[in-house]
Amino acid sequence: MLTLYGKNFVSRLLLGTAQYPSPEDLRRESARARTGQGFWALIEELGCRVLANTAGCRTAKEAIATAEMARELFGTSWIKLEVIANDDTLQPDLFGLVEAARVLSADGFEVLPYTTEDLSAAERLVAAGCNVLMPWAAPIGSARGLINKDALKTLRAYFPGIPLIVDAGIGAPSHAAEVMEMGYDGVLLNTAVAKAGDPPKMAEAFAKAIEGGRLAFEAGLIEPRDMAAPSTPVAGTPFFKIDHAS
């Protein structure tokens, strides 16, 4: 079972909604005095937890302000923290991310930071109060899969007690299964499902791939070898010579 900030989840698949693509949209919703509560009532009825997002923020100050508005609007202290540095790659601003994480954690937020696979940044985010890390597999929406597998494996090994959820760049269920086979705790994605020909069926495919990958990790994968290893050993096996009559 997946446990994040003391809350248990049956599924290890987190689906994004892109409901608020910019801080301006969130401010407009807040100004309308919670007129979108019908949607959130449905989410609560389904038993889903809302994870607000600071997507579109370019500075720590803007991300902090957006998180505070989200907490007031949605009634949750959970926040997916994004501080974007580059418009082309949507790579996180690691300096601003750590700064915002420190302020929000001290203010009672449960912060889930969208970061890279950089180990030093991860250490600083944990020191800032983050009990969950969300490294990318590849740039947002790129569908490229795991572009730095070794770094992701190192991150998993370095933080055995911290929930790690891969966020961004996952394009196929096989990518998600590979992440889970590494021992990651979950996958957050949006584009791969939202832009599929049949989104519900694709979501089901991802859910099954994630479950299968986790089961494989828990069962214990064998290590790859450079040479062949016969599945049926020949050592000690009796052989009989048969002479054919001429």
Side-chain angles (χ1 to χ4, degrees), residues 113-224:
Y114 162 63
T115 182
T116 66
E117 71 279 20
D118 184 88
L119 181 57
S120 62
E123 288 182 299
R124 285 165 172 77
L125 287 168
V126 171
C130 298
N131 293 330
V132 178
L133 297 175
M134 302 179 72
W136 69 357
I140 293 174
S142 68
R144 293 174 60 190
L146 286 64
I147 60 174
N148 196 341
K149 297 179 184 180
D150 289 340
L152 288 172
K153 289 178 180 177
T154 298
L155 206 62
R156 176 70 285 177
Y158 202 84
F159 296 102
I162 298 289
L164 300 180
I165 298 173
V166 164
D167 174 17
I170 297 295
S174 57
H175 298 159
E178 189 173 11
V179 165
M180 301 305 293
E181 288 171 359
M182 289 182 181
Y184 275 70
D185 298 279
V187 174
L188 191 156
L189 54 88
N190 181 18
T191 305
V193 169
K195 292 190 176 182
D198 187 334
K201 185 175 290 187
M202 184 60 74
E204 182 181 359
F206 270 104
K208 290 180 177 178
I210 289 169
E211 182 180 359
R214 181 66 186 187
L215 284 173
F217 169 74
E218 293 175 348
L221 294 163
I222 65 172
E223 291 295 325

Side-chain angles (χ1 to χ4, degrees), residues 32-58:
R32 288 198 293 265
R34 304 169 68 89
T35 56
Q37 288 306 296
F39 172 77
W40 303 115
L42 175 60
I43 293 295
E44 292 177 356
E45 182 180 336
L46 292 172
C48 299
R49 173 170 286 273
V50 174
L51 178 60
N53 191 357
T54 65
C57 293
R58 294 293 191 272

Side-chain angles (χ1 to χ4, degrees), residues 2-9 49 51 76-81 101 104-106 108-113 125-126 128-134 161-163 165:
L2 176 63
T3 302
L4 305 174
Y5 286 106
K7 301 295 184 182
N8 296 326
F9 300 88
R49 173 170 286 273
L51 178 60
T76 177
S77 58
W78 283 45
I79 192 74
K80 178 188 171 185
L81 180 62
L104 292 173
S105 295
F109 281 88
E110 283 84 24
V111 180
L112 292 85
L125 287 168
V126 171
C130 298
N131 293 330
V132 178
L133 297 175
M134 302 179 72
I162 298 289
I165 298 173

